Amino acid sequence: MTLPASSPVELIIVPKSHDVGGFEVRRALPSVKRRMVGPFIFWDQMGPGYFPPGTGLDVRPHPHIGLSTVTYLTEGEIMHRDSVGSVQAIRPGAINWMTAGKGIVHSERTEAGLRANGNHLAGIQSWVALPQRFEEIDPGFSHYPAEDLPIISDQGVWMRLIAGELFGEASPVRTLSETIYMEMLLDAGAKVEIPASHPERALYLFDGRINIAGDVFTSEGGHGQLLVLREGDALTVTAECNTRLLLLGGEPMDGPRYIYWNFVSSSKERIEDAKSDWRNAKFPTVPGETEFIPLPE
């Protein structure tokens, strides 16, 4: 779609498919068209998908530096384990926020009890880059149950504020830079105003069809789209059918970031150090886990 210069949508990114732990995901960020939106440097749509009986997600232990991983599910369950000792199931509507800082290792799996009869999984896995002054902080993990996150609803619009402040509400999720992250469910015909309250914003059309300033955007066959919005433009979103959207963004990051595999840093040299540390087994380990994902060559 060619967008007019007057459109509040600056760019459309169609995610590319990747395999993660035997499960297809669709990656919108980073893209050749756009590396980041606010602090968000990585954005994967997981599913919707189904694991047949006896199978499940198996993302073996792997390392991170310089970022926070943010897991948000709309369906299913994932068990998170990490090298600071966290063991936490993530379920729909809750948030797992893991800050890697100077280095953390984690795994993501489907527990044995859920594998027996088959299980569904859908959601968003994103990474938030850390400001330079926080890139080397100690790693940590926080879990926020769904009932702790603010809900806003009115006239066919239901919204959960995952992080940041918007519409007079504030999320309890602690972030290290200005961040906005919100899920929106719109009934057919419902409208929602998106204010120009953050310098960088995008809408991820998870499922449905919307109209923005006369342009129609659709998620056909479960394939989402990332709509990067123009800075300073408020806009109205009208749902043409029942629709699920996610709003993401915040302040621009304080300089460029480099990505290699699961490592994010403002320094190429720091990434080389992390590669060497993982290759030589210098990262901490996940209690109870013996497998690991080797460094890609």
Side-chain angles (χ1 to χ4, degrees):
M1 176 189 296
T2 300
L3 297 167
S6 59
S7 173
V9 178
E10 178 180 298
L11 178 66
I12 303 170
I13 298 174
V14 178
K16 294 184 177 181
S17 295
H18 296 263
D19 182 87
V20 177
F23 188 72
E24 184 183 62
V25 301
R26 298 181 182 91
R27 185 159 302 159
L29 293 175
S31 163
V32 294
K33 295 181 178 180
R34 181 83 179 222
R35 302 295 291 174
M36 302 178 68
V37 177
F40 288 88
I41 195 167
F42 179 94
W43 185 274
D44 269 3
Q45 176 183 337
M46 302 180 288
Y50 175 71
F51 290 103
T55 67
L57 185 71
D58 277 305
V59 181
R60 295 166 291 160
H62 56 281
H64 291 284
I65 65 165
L67 56 86
S68 293
T69 65
V70 184
T71 306
Y72 185 75
L73 298 183
T74 59
E75 188 176 13
E77 180 177 318
I78 297 173
M79 182 61 71
H80 164 99
R81 293 181 174 86
D82 64 40
S83 55
V84 299
S86 311
V87 179
Q88 177 64 57
I90 175 71
R91 299 184 178 95
I95 277 290
N96 273 6
W97 195 288
M98 183 187 77
T99 297
K102 63 186 180 183
I104 200 168
V105 178
H106 76 134
S107 66
E108 296 162 301
R109 299 184 185 272
T110 303
E111 288 291 270
L114 293 175
R115 293 174 184 255
N117 299 314
N119 56 99
H120 292 84
L121 184 64
I124 298 293
Q125 178 76 64
S126 57
W127 297 352
V128 174
L130 300 179
Q132 292 184 29
R133 66 186 183 280
F134 295 127
E135 285 185 304
E136 296 299 320
I137 62 173
D138 290 337
F141 176 83
S142 297
H143 176 77
Y144 301 86
E147 56 268 24
D148 288 357
L149 303 177
I151 301 297
I152 305 161
S153 60
D154 182 49
Q155 298 182 358
V157 177
W158 180 97
M159 299 181 285
R160 175 181 279 121
L161 183 57
I162 300 168
E165 299 182 12
L166 199 63
F167 301 126
E169 297 285 349
S171 167
V173 174
R174 179 175 176 264
T175 65
L176 296 175
S177 62
E178 184 181 324
T179 305
I180 184 64
Y181 191 9
M182 173 176 271
E183 180 187 21
M184 302 177 174
L185 302 181
L186 280 64
D187 293 342
K191 297 182 179 183
V192 62
E193 305 287 334
I194 307 296
S197 53
H198 298 83
E200 296 188 356
R201 301 159 299 151
L203 288 169
Y204 188 76
L205 179 55
F206 193 100
D207 186 47
R209 187 170 64 253
I210 58 173
N211 186 307
I212 300 175
D215 291 317
V216 176
F217 306 91
T218 184
S219 172
E220 296 180 352
H223 293 75
Q225 290 187 2
L226 184 70
L227 311 178
V228 181
L229 307 180
R230 294 191 189 278
E231 183 174 348
D233 282 3
L235 58 99
T236 300
V237 176
T238 303
E240 297 197 344
C241 63
N242 292 347
T243 293
R244 185 189 303 272
L245 288 168
L246 294 115
L247 172 67
L248 61 139
E251 287 285 344
M253 196 44 51
D254 55 355
R257 290 298 184 272
Y258 304 102
I259 301 180
Y260 173 84
W261 191 38
N262 301 309
F263 304 138
V264 170
S265 179
S266 59
S267 163
K268 291 182 179 180
E269 291 76 14
R270 179 66 181 92
I271 288 180
E272 291 301 317
D273 289 343
K275 290 164 62 176
S276 176
D277 287 347
W278 184 246
R279 190 183 293 115
N280 294 295
K282 292 184 178 180
F283 271 82
T285 58
V286 178
E289 295 265 18
T290 57
E291 296 182 300
F292 67 94
I293 301 177
L295 186 77
E297 300 294 343

